[in-house]
Each structure stands twice: as C-alpha cells, then as structure tokens.
C-alpha cells in the first residue's frame, strides 16, 4: 500500500456540449481551506466542487441555508414529536373514557398543558422560519 491520497475524480468530458467558458474565483486563505475541505469530502477537485455547487444553487437544485437553519428544523421536529405524543395521550384518555367512563381531571389538565405547549412551540418555530426567509 502507498501513502498517497486517492485522486479526486474528474468530470466526464462531453463532446455534445463542451464547456468553453471559464470564470475566475478568488478566495482568502480561510475561504480556500473551506472549499478544499468540502471538495475533499465530496471527492472532487476544489474548482470542480465550486463549479458544481454554484450551478446547483443557480438552478435551485439546492438552496443555501442560514447557519441557524438546523436549529430551526430541530425546533420543528421537537414540536412534531410533542404533538405526536399528545395524540397518543388523547387516544389513551379516549380509550379509558369509552371503556371505563372515568378519567382524572389531573390527567386531562396535564394533556391540555402539553397541547398548549406544543402549539406555542409550533407557532414559535413557524414564525422563526418565516422571519428567516424575509
């Protein structure tokens, strides 16, 4: 075995639609390091990576996301999980009420509090997402 790094794969050349236009991009040291790292992860040369990503954004195949986008998605996911759990609780309460006819006021109050909390979190997450798009 050798200590050589695997070579980045090259884009296949297409005779039917050759690329004849070039663009010159400039980066500072930090930006270049970021591009080089991302390109290495993707198995591409930095110029091929930059070209592929720029074209994907321009064609709207991918959308650049703000840094806090993952936090917003996590908030929505957590709220969905809470809403699903509430549904489970409501089904359990309905089953008890249908079979036994009794449910404790404390348990009903606890479920209603969870509903209010989940709805508030969903509202907050929705507003946060909408503000991020503005």
């Amino acid at each position: 075995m050798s200590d050589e790094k695997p070579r980045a794969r090259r884009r296949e050349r297409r005779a039917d639609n050759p690329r004849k236009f070039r663009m010159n991009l400039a980066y500072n040291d930090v930006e270049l390091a970021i591009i080089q790292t991302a390109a290495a992860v993707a198995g591409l040369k930095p110029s091929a990576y930059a070209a592929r990503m720029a074209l994907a954004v321009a064609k709207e195949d991918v959308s650049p996301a703000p840094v806090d986008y993952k936090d917003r998605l996590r908030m929505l996911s957590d709220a969905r999980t809470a809403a699903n759990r509430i549904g489970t609780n409501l089904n359990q309460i309905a089953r008890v009420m249908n079979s036994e006819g009794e449910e404790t006021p404390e348990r009903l109050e606890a479920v209603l509090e969870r509903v209010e909390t989940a709805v508030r979190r969903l509202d907050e997450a929705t507003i946060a997402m909408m503000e991020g798009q503005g």
Side-chain angles (χ1 to χ4, degrees):
M1 277 205 254
S2 69
D3 292 334
E4 291 182 32
K5 293 190 296 186
R7 291 181 51 123
R9 65 181 192 270
R10 294 178 55 101
R11 173 182 60 86
E12 290 183 27
R13 299 193 189 271
R14 293 182 51 163
D16 61 334
N17 193 10
R19 291 182 173 162
K20 52 188 172 184
F21 301 103
R22 294 185 177 270
M23 295 182 76
N24 184 16
L25 304 174
Y27 301 104
N28 64 32
D29 291 338
V30 172
E31 293 167 338
L32 181 60
I34 291 168
I35 295 291
Q36 288 172 326
T37 300
V41 169
L44 298 168
K45 292 187 176 191
S47 58
Y49 177 82
R52 184 174 290 179
M53 292 301 109
L55 190 58
V57 169
K59 290 170 42 180
E60 296 183 348
D61 290 341
V62 297
S63 177
V67 173
D68 63 346
Y69 189 71
K70 287 181 182 178
D71 292 335
R72 292 176 183 181
L73 287 178
R74 188 174 299 112
M75 183 188 295
L76 284 172
S77 177
D78 291 348
R80 281 194 58 157
T81 300
N84 284 333
R85 288 180 181 153
I86 291 166
T88 299
N89 290 128
L90 290 173
N91 284 335
Q92 290 169 349
I93 289 171
R95 186 173 27 254
V96 169
M97 292 182 81
N98 287 332
S99 65
E100 300 170 15
E102 281 295 320
E103 186 56 71
T104 66
E106 294 82 16
R107 186 164 168 181
L108 290 171
E109 183 64 32
V111 171
L112 290 175
E113 285 178 23
R114 289 180 71 188
V115 168
E116 290 174 1
T117 300
V119 169
R120 184 178 35 45
R121 290 180 66 206
L122 282 168
D123 287 345
E124 290 169 358
T126 301
I127 290 167
M129 291 295 285
M130 289 170 51
E131 288 174 348
Q133 294 175 1

